[in-house]
Amino acid sequence: MNTLQVEALEEMKTAIHKWFDEQENRKDVEGAVKRTTLQIGIFNGIMLDYRPGRTRVEMLNDGRNVAGKKSMKASPFTREQILHEVQPLLAEIIKEKLDKLETSPLINYRFILQGTFATTDGLVELTVLETVYEEKKRQLLERIHAYIEKKLEKGFYPTEPLETFFLTRHLLDPHLFHEPEAARTIALFDRIQELNKERVQVLAEHRRNIIRALTGWAEAVFLPHYYDVPRSNYRTNEYEIKPGAVLEKMNEPNQPIDLLLYGAVMIIRYEPNYSKYKGQAFLKIAMQLGSGKAGRMLKEGSDSFSQEDVHMRHELSECKANDIFSLITVVIHKEEAGAYERVILFILSLLRKGFPKSYKIKLKSSVREVLPVKGLAKSDTHRFFANALAYSELHPLLEEYAREAMEEFEWYEDTEGEKNVMPGSYAVFGLGLVAERYFPLVEAYMALVDDEHQLVQDKFTAAFAETHGVTERSIPALVACLLRSHDSLKLKIQPELENEDKLALLVQHVEALTDYEAERVLYPIWGKTEKLATLARKAQEPRKELLLRLLKAADKA
């Protein structure tokens, strides 16, 4: 090697030694591994990214590490030199390090060094070294089987999400289990959910761990056999089927494809709305490979619901639901309260059984009502609830529906962008404009609104203020709305607040807020606090004191 090449190799060695030294000096290693018997080591491998003068080493993260910054210096190596000279030298360096750490909890049963190298021929990616510690692997497999028998097959108590995090990844690890036994793996995943069903928040965490493991297995292990899967940290994965890729035994029971379908349904049922495209993509991929079950699911929905759950037919109305596309088809045969009541009860039942809350309605009806709120999507879902709200006898049922449907980070499927609305929005907006008894529902709704991704609450707030004004009954709901407002909202309620009693009501509620919240509530009414300060200076008592209290609440006195 010439001088530049020796210096470059030394740069790589230094980066590797630095990483290992940092890990060996950690104080938390023993405690981290002892958290659960299902973790036998912390690190599966490292990624070496060589760019002259910018070389770095990071923990291996399923091949998703972002490449480092480009170097201004030219690489002294050709592709062939990296493959035949540098790779063996780096492998020896890593072996020396690993020999000292074989029994350490730092190193998992399997360790990989992946490398990305700048060369005169472009970037070269390769596996520099892969080592398996058979004794650690044997111990880990024993622990996995013992855990399954004791905690899942014979257990009756809730389990820990951390245990599920490791177990799910182990069961789908092709280096531990050459090919997953699909039926048994699915049964174990179902058992985890059954044992934890009484703890809603914890159950959600278990499900996230199951979904992440299945997604990782699908994209890193299963699909690459049949598809080219270009990976990107910035774009959605795009799957390109390999020429002649056909899955044998596709429609036979207990095949790996069943895990892909199971994962797809888990994503669609339990992941946030913005993630559900991946579940649908998995099903479409399975259908392309020849899965008849995937084709049926795309057409009719998953097997998660009985036919009675997803079909309703009556002389007044009929419904059909497909959870894969989060679609409910509704036909109103007779325009009367009973027709809409049956549909709402149908939807309520579906939601309580796990149907995606981010759904949409495809409506066939001769009536085309809309809510008196500007800026809402002119969708069938909007029209259905506007139609139903015309029947006052259905209002209590619509409140029940809204409270069941409302969920942060979910949106009706037929809205997007500035017209996004959380499930339950149309019912809440309609009821909130109709009667004071539904003001607490408005408050509950606003507490859940994701104001970073939803804007239409501003339109409702304007309609609410215009309809109900400022009263002792309306002010709590109005303040709740303003807490989710944006700078573009301008309320025309200043004339009402010339009334000192009404202004005092506002002061009472604003003083209970943080200064940031107070300023947010005041802005749609008066704009910047400087304007409010000017009004306060010119005002006479007792109005002056009330305005100064508002400024003080916003920490602007």
Side-chain angles (χ1 to χ4, degrees), residues 185-427:
T185 303
I186 290 170
L188 291 174
F189 291 170
D190 284 340
R191 181 60 176 162
I192 291 169
Q193 295 177 74
E194 175 67 22
L195 289 171
N196 293 282
K197 65 181 180 181
E198 302 300 328
R199 304 188 298 170
V200 177
Q201 296 300 322
V202 176
L203 175 60
E205 193 173 348
H206 283 285
R207 283 174 171 159
R208 282 194 294 272
N209 287 330
I210 293 170
I211 289 168
R212 299 300 178 271
L214 285 165
T215 301
W217 167 81
E219 294 182 335
V221 179
F222 181 72
L223 291 179
H225 290 301
Y226 311 99
Y227 284 79
D228 291 318
V229 189
R231 291 180 178 271
S232 170
N233 285 276
Y234 308 105
R235 297 176 56 193
T236 301
N237 283 347
E238 297 177 1
Y239 304 93
E240 299 177 6
I241 193 166
K242 293 179 179 178
V246 178
L247 190 60
E248 297 179 359
K249 303 179 181 179
M250 170 64 69
N251 294 308
E252 293 185 14
N254 197 24
Q255 297 299 315
I257 190 72
D258 294 335
L259 284 168
L260 185 69
L261 301 182
Y262 181 85
V265 174
M266 287 282 288
I267 292 169
I268 290 166
R269 292 194 68 181
Y270 303 120
E271 285 289 89
N273 188 44
Y274 54 77
S275 298
K276 292 177 181 177
Y277 73 91
K278 187 178 289 289
Q280 294 170 356
F282 283 170
L283 289 175
K284 291 175 182 177
I285 286 169
M287 186 176 71
Q288 285 180 336
L289 288 173
S291 170
K293 183 178 180 181
R296 290 192 301 274
M297 292 168 72
L298 286 166
K299 183 178 180 180
E300 302 173 7
S302 73
D303 296 331
S304 304
F305 303 91
S306 69
Q307 285 299 303
E308 291 74 20
D309 290 334
V310 296
H311 288 89
M312 185 276 289
R313 180 169 294 178
H314 187 267
E315 62 179 357
L316 296 177
S317 54
E318 62 180 281
C319 303
K320 183 178 181 181
N322 183 319
D323 60 317
I324 299 302
F325 293 109
S326 305
L327 173 66
I328 301 175
T329 303
V330 175
V331 180
I332 304 296
H333 295 303
K334 293 184 180 180
E335 294 291 341
E336 58 183 74
Y340 288 91
E341 179 182 24
R342 288 184 174 277
V343 177
I344 297 167
L345 288 170
F346 174 81
I347 297 173
L348 255 177
S349 174
L350 276 177
L351 295 182
R352 287 168 175 162
K353 292 175 181 177
F355 192 84
K357 291 187 175 181
S358 294
Y359 70 91
K360 64 182 175 183
I361 290 175
K362 182 179 179 181
L363 177 66
K364 184 176 182 180
S365 164
S366 60
V367 178
R368 305 189 68 84
E369 292 285 350
V370 292
L371 296 176
V373 178
K374 297 178 181 178
L376 297 180
K378 295 179 180 178
S379 65
D380 280 3
T381 309
H382 174 186
R383 187 159 62 97
F384 170 80
F385 286 105
N387 289 358
L389 282 157
Y391 303 99
S392 59
E393 62 266 44
L394 296 182
H395 289 180
L397 181 61
L398 283 165
E399 179 182 15
E400 184 181 351
Y401 160 78
R403 291 190 181 276
E404 181 67 35
M406 295 185 305
E407 187 158 331
E408 191 177 16
F409 309 129
E410 298 285 347
W411 292 273
Y412 282 127
E413 275 282 298
D414 49 6
T415 61
E416 60 182 19
E418 293 186 356
K419 297 183 185 296
N420 272 350
V421 287
M422 183 169 67
S425 293
Y426 302 122

Side-chain angles (χ1 to χ4, degrees), residues 1 36 115 263 333 428 430 456:
M1 288 189 179
T36 169
H333 295 303
V428 172
V456 295

Side-chain angles (χ1 to χ4, degrees), residues 141-161:
L141 286 169
E142 284 184 356
R143 294 179 185 184
I144 292 168
H145 293 306
Y147 177 87
I148 290 172
E149 181 180 4
K150 181 180 178 180
K151 295 288 189 76
L152 301 183
E153 294 176 341
K154 296 181 179 179
F156 298 97
Y157 300 103
T159 57
E160 294 299 322

Side-chain angles (χ1 to χ4, degrees), residues 436-452:
E436 293 180 353
R437 64 176 292 186
Y438 298 112
F439 289 175
L441 174 65
V442 172
E443 294 178 56
Y445 172 87
M446 291 298 169
L448 290 173
V449 164
D450 173 16
D451 51 26
E452 291 187 8

